[in-house]
Amino acid sequence: MLHLAQVKKNPDSGEMELLLLARQTSQHLWDMMSNKVISCTIPMSFRDGVLVLVKLGDDHEILEVQEAKDWVMGLVETYLTNGAITPEWVQKEQEKVEQWRQEITAKSLDLTRRQLELETQKEQLQELEEKLKNGEE
């Protein structure tokens, strides 16, 4: 599993540790983590305080470590530069979603109304059939 971490030097032992800050749960979703520190069992050339991306195995063994600069810059370019996601853009998207929700609700109500009308007509036809059947006998 991929994690965002900060390299930390343990003041007591002098060994490098990784402070896990967040973990990826799906392609575009991350969960924040707090105060989870793991010992760095592989040699690293990263300085204290550097942000890194860490692939961890099932039992938290370190599989891969790479500097997070390019990844962070990709986020900045995608989401935070001119023309990317702005508060106005988010507001417009929220308005679109609300409009779609209202349209779907209206269509759902219309379908429910039509279904009830059809059921009423079916019952009326069945009653008429019964009357005709009883009248013929």
Side-chain angles (χ1 to χ4, degrees):
M1 183 176 286
L2 190 62
H3 289 73
L4 177 65
Q6 184 176 22
V7 176
K8 290 286 187 185
K9 188 173 187 176
N10 185 310
D12 299 327
S13 67
E15 293 185 11
M16 298 307 263
E17 299 174 331
L18 296 174
L19 172 61
L20 302 179
L21 303 172
R23 75 169 172 242
Q24 187 177 31
T25 57
S26 68
Q27 184 177 357
H28 296 290
L29 291 176
W30 290 71
D31 282 340
M32 301 300 292
M33 300 178 70
S34 60
N35 300 325
K36 175 73 174 167
V37 177
I38 60 171
S39 297
C40 190
T41 56
I42 62 172
M44 286 193 317
S45 59
F46 299 112
R47 295 183 315 271
D48 188 39
V50 171
L51 290 178
V52 293
L53 290 173
V54 184
K55 283 187 186 173
L56 296 179
D58 293 335
D59 56 351
H60 283 6
E61 81 271 12
I62 298 171
L63 304 175
E64 183 182 331
V65 179
Q66 66 184 47
E67 189 173 356
K69 177 187 165 204
D70 292 338
W71 179 76
V72 170
M73 293 308 295
L75 291 175
V76 169
E77 181 180 343
T78 302
Y79 300 108
L80 304 174
T81 56
N82 291 338
I85 296 176
T86 63
E88 294 81 18
W89 181 86
V90 170
Q91 178 66 33
K92 286 179 185 175
E93 292 300 306
Q94 287 175 334
E95 290 169 2
K96 284 182 191 176
V97 168
E98 179 60 23
Q99 182 180 1
W100 292 337
R101 187 192 65 75
Q102 289 175 4
E103 289 173 4
I104 289 171
T105 300
K107 286 180 181 179
S108 175
L109 289 172
D110 187 50
L111 286 172
T112 301
R113 180 187 56 79
R114 287 181 184 185
Q115 183 179 11
L116 288 172
E117 287 175 358
L118 286 172
E119 288 176 11
T120 302
Q121 289 175 354
K122 181 181 174 184
E123 288 174 5
Q124 289 172 345
L125 283 172
Q126 288 174 342
E127 287 174 10
L128 186 57
E129 283 179 349
E130 284 297 318
K131 285 181 182 177
L132 288 173
K133 207 182 237 187
N134 290 338
E136 290 177 1
E137 292 177 8

